[in-house]
Amino acid sequence: MSTVLEQIEQQIAKLSSKAVRKNTGVIRTVADGVAKIDGLSDVMYNEMVSFPGGAIGIALNLEQDEVGCVVLGDVSRLKEGDEVQTTGKLLSVPVGKGLLGRVVDALGAPVDGKGPITATESYPVEKIAPGIVVRKSVSQPLFTGIMAIDSMIPIGRGQRELIIGDRGTGKTTIAIDTIINQAKINKVGLASGDPKFRPVYSIYVAVGQKNSNIVRTIGALEAAGALEYTVIVAAPAADNPANQYLAPYSGAAIGEWFMENGMDALIVYDDLSKHAVAYRQISLILKRPSGREAYPGDVFYLHSRLLERSARLDGKGSLTALPIIETLAGDVSAYIPTNVISITDGQIFLETDLFNQGIRPAVSVGLSVSRVGSSAQIKATKQVGGKLKGELAQFRELAAFAQFGSDLDAKTKSQLDRGSRIVELFKQPAFNPIPIEQQVVTLWAMQKGFYDSLDLKGVTAASVALREFFATRKDAVLAEIRTKAALDKDLEEKIKGGVEEWKASFSA
Amino acid sequence: MTKQDQQLARQLFSLSLVGGNLSTEHVGAVLQYLEKHPPARPVAVLRAYQRLVRAEYAKGQAVIEHAGPIADSLVQSIATLMARRYGRPVSGVARDNPGLLAGLRVRVGDDVYESSVAQQLAGLSL
């Protein structure tokens, strides 16, 4: 009843005879989604302006005689001389749990045909990143479910870890795997009823991608049961550059809501190279001075202000960012890649050569790094995988030398053999994240030499069989690893017993 | 239009102001000067200059759109009110606009003050 009364009250307010003041302007030119407007003397930077026909624009260039606005919507109906009005509002998007499982556009409007979104709050798209005082250092792990990453390049809640590589090297797959793994952990954690469990909600921002790719991603998430914990912000290649420019900020606003309300969230920006290209297009049309590779001078700020919004807040939640950058011919020293590398807390570098050799995920261990380091790892992973990075680096060095000569001493041969086994062990199919407790068992068996007697090509299959054995028959041991998060003598004995039991059955 | 044309138009416009207000004599003098010394792109410069003068001129004029008859005294009182509000001389100009159905719309420069039935109906349709 009260809602009905409020609606009538609003209607009365609309009919009130009080004069309304509007600041107006007139369109001088419209080109490529950018309108130049005379007037609008009171407009604020980044303010929403209203065009005839319901289209919305954002004032991006406030010049002496004119205002440059990007139009978010259909520009085909706009013409010279049309009146434009200020709204007095900054652009904002709906936020909250009502968006989970939904696909929205850069303005937060649903595009999945599942009806309107039930969101009671909205957050501004552009927001100043949290300051120094409110932040807390990253110390809680965020498991990707990818063994090579969780053991050697760990990611923490609130961290910004760049995924970088050429096209077709599996960048999106790593991000999707991570989202799927969060959903799996959420399901187990929420079912356990542990009051301390903190679920991670995911936001996937697709910028400048083909619609078919976005559909495939949605399908993969849906098939893995991860969509219910995920919000997808889509600004496909067919969208205008203004929407592509805004989408990551809208996604960040959606993620900030989770962070500000004491929850943990993960945001994937796929990808920031296309985002920079969209911004370059807008800037060139706005006639802003161009710099290196025709990008505007503030292209660094474009990404730094976005990625700085990811943080772990003291007494609140966290927002972890996985930005993706596409390189050309493995050139990480290009303009946008170096910018984003310097902003983030580490990078996962994917190599085409490794991918073509069948090493998937094609993570280059030498070039990948996590600046947060082992503080974002559980003790059990440190215990079983602490030396892995060094061992693999040594293997790569020796492998390069081994190509030139056949006379190798026994020690070198054993190091090469071990390295090849580690490489085989880290091979993992797409959309199949491995729970951390299973990773611990797999790596423990490797450290203790349980795969040494096996044929090199059989290592991957053996590790899969080991994990299946533990998942079906040693669930209690896995649960103990999960809860203790560290290996003591007693637990190691249990793992040893389990692995020996598996070895006997596997060999037989 | 180039940046140079815009800059020249802005310089000419500043020469057309006396004490912050547009001077008819100065505008005439600027036009005479341009006739004698035409710039590289005279049409572009004149267009830019015209736009600036028009915007400045609109700031000193309250265009009062109305549906139905309006008393001269009301036009005068609105002009006085606007002059007080903006702290500059504002003259009132009445224009009949049946599209408003009833009420008034006053435009001073970029600002529009509206209290009309047409506006309220538009609000209801949103």
Side-chain angles (χ1 to χ4, degrees), chain A residues 283-297:
Chain A
S283 298
L284 290 174
I285 296 164
L286 283 168
K287 296 212 166 77
R288 286 179 177 177
S290 58
R292 185 175 157 188
E293 292 175 29
Y295 286 107

Side-chain angles (χ1 to χ4, degrees), chain A residues 11 14-24 28 38-42 64-66 83 287, chain B residues 1 3 6 10 51-52 85-86 105 107 109-115 119-121 123-124 126:
Chain A
Q11 210 78 317
K14 279 180 184 171
L15 286 168
S16 128
S17 59
K18 208 176 163 189
V20 180
R21 179 180 175 268
K22 296 177 290 190
N23 190 251
T24 62
R28 206 166 77 202
D38 273 339
L40 293 182
S41 52
D42 283 356
Q64 214 168 351
D65 317 318
E66 65 180 21
E83 193 179 90
K287 296 212 166 77
Chain B
M1 191 197 306
K3 271 191 179 173
Q6 220 159 1
R10 240 178 261 142
R51 219 177 45 245
L52 293 168
R85 191 179 183 112
Y86 289 97
R105 181 190 287 158
R107 180 186 289 273
D110 297 342
D111 292 337
V112 176
Y113 301 84
E114 187 166 359
S115 178
Q119 171 223 344
Q120 286 166 13
L121 288 173
L124 280 178
L126 286 176

Side-chain angles (χ1 to χ4, degrees), chain A residues 61-339:
Chain A
N61 256 25
L62 308 186
E63 290 174 32
Q64 214 168 351
D65 317 318
E66 65 180 21
V67 175
C69 282
V70 289
V71 186
L72 309 164
D74 188 11
V75 287
S76 59
R77 286 189 207 159
L78 301 181
K79 57 184 188 302
E80 189 188 343
D82 277 352
E83 193 179 90
V84 186
Q85 291 175 15
T86 56
T87 60
K89 291 181 209 159
L90 294 173
L91 189 66
S92 54
V93 286
V95 292
K97 283 192 174 177
L99 276 95
L100 291 171
R102 303 300 303 268
V103 185
V104 296
D105 65 9
L107 300 175
V111 289
D112 52 5
K114 290 180 184 171
I117 286 170
T118 48
T120 49
E121 275 184 83
S122 63
Y123 264 33
V125 166
E126 288 274 3
K127 205 175 172 196
I128 302 287
I132 301 161
V133 180
V134 294
R135 285 178 189 247
K136 210 175 167 189
S137 60
V138 176
S139 60
Q140 294 171 325
L142 184 130
F143 303 117
T144 61
I146 297 160
M147 213 150 52
I149 295 172
D150 288 340
S151 59
M152 293 185 290
I153 320 147
I155 299 170
R157 294 187 186 194
Q159 190 179 340
R160 289 92 38 97
E161 182 80 6
L162 170 67
I163 302 171
I164 187 167
D166 279 8
R167 61 185 295 274
T169 49
K171 302 181 294 296
T172 305
T173 308
I174 286 184
I176 302 299
D177 269 348
T178 311
I179 293 175
I180 292 173
N181 198 41
Q182 302 321 305
K184 281 187 173 177
I185 295 171
N186 288 353
K187 279 177 187 165
V188 174
L190 294 171
S192 72
D194 179 5
K196 284 183 184 171
F197 176 74
R198 294 169 66 91
V200 177
Y201 299 100
S202 307
I203 300 117
Y204 177 79
V205 185
V207 183
Q209 289 191 41
K210 285 180 276 187
N211 272 323
S212 57
N213 281 355
I214 300 174
V215 169
R216 201 180 306 150
T217 303
I218 296 167
L221 292 175
E222 213 160 14
L227 197 61
E228 59 185 294
Y229 300 102
T230 312
V231 183
I232 294 175
V233 182
D239 232 341
N240 65 36
N243 282 352
Q244 291 181 37
Y245 155 67
L246 276 175
Y249 298 100
S250 303
I254 294 167
E256 272 168 347
W257 180 86
F258 289 104
M259 177 172 70
E260 295 284 348
N261 287 285
M263 288 171 267
D264 292 323
L266 161 76
I267 185 161
V268 176
Y269 302 109
D270 194 2
D271 67 67
L272 291 188
S273 312
K274 292 191 184 81
H275 181 234
V277 167
Y279 186 59
R280 174 170 67 182
Q281 193 175 332
I282 292 170
S283 298
L284 290 174
I285 296 164
L286 283 168
K287 296 212 166 77
R288 286 179 177 177
S290 58
R292 185 175 157 188
E293 292 175 29
Y295 286 107
D298 63 342
V299 76
F300 185 88
Y301 181 55
L302 172 83
H303 290 148
S304 66
R305 75 175 192 266
L306 171 72
L307 293 168
E308 276 294 299
R309 287 164 74 173
S310 301
R312 185 180 171 210
L313 299 184
D314 196 7
K316 291 182 180 173
S318 70
L319 180 62
T320 313
L322 292 181
I324 293 176
I325 286 282
E326 189 178 296
T327 52
L328 288 171
D331 182 15
V332 284
S333 62
Y335 190 23
I336 303 302
T338 47
N339 275 358

Side-chain angles (χ1 to χ4, degrees), chain A residues 40-62:
Chain A
L40 293 182
S41 52
D42 283 356
V43 75
M44 298 178 287
Y45 180 64
N46 265 338
E47 185 182 341
M48 275 164 74
V49 295
S50 134
F51 287 91
I56 290 169
I58 304 172
L60 279 185
N61 256 25
L62 308 186

Side-chain angles (χ1 to χ4, degrees), chain A residues 332-383:
Chain A
V332 284
S333 62
Y335 190 23
I336 303 302
T338 47
N339 275 358
V340 183
I341 285 171
S342 69
I343 297 163
T344 48
D345 308 312
Q347 71 275 347
I348 295 164
F349 186 70
L350 303 175
E351 274 187 58
T352 314
D353 286 349
L354 293 177
F355 190 86
N356 292 338
Q357 282 166 31
I359 301 167
R360 295 170 199 180
V363 177
S364 164
V365 179
L367 289 173
S368 301
V369 68
S370 170
R371 282 171 212 159
V372 170
S374 58
S375 54
Q377 258 181 334
I378 58 167
K379 203 179 168 192
T381 317
K382 278 186 230 177
Q383 283 170 302

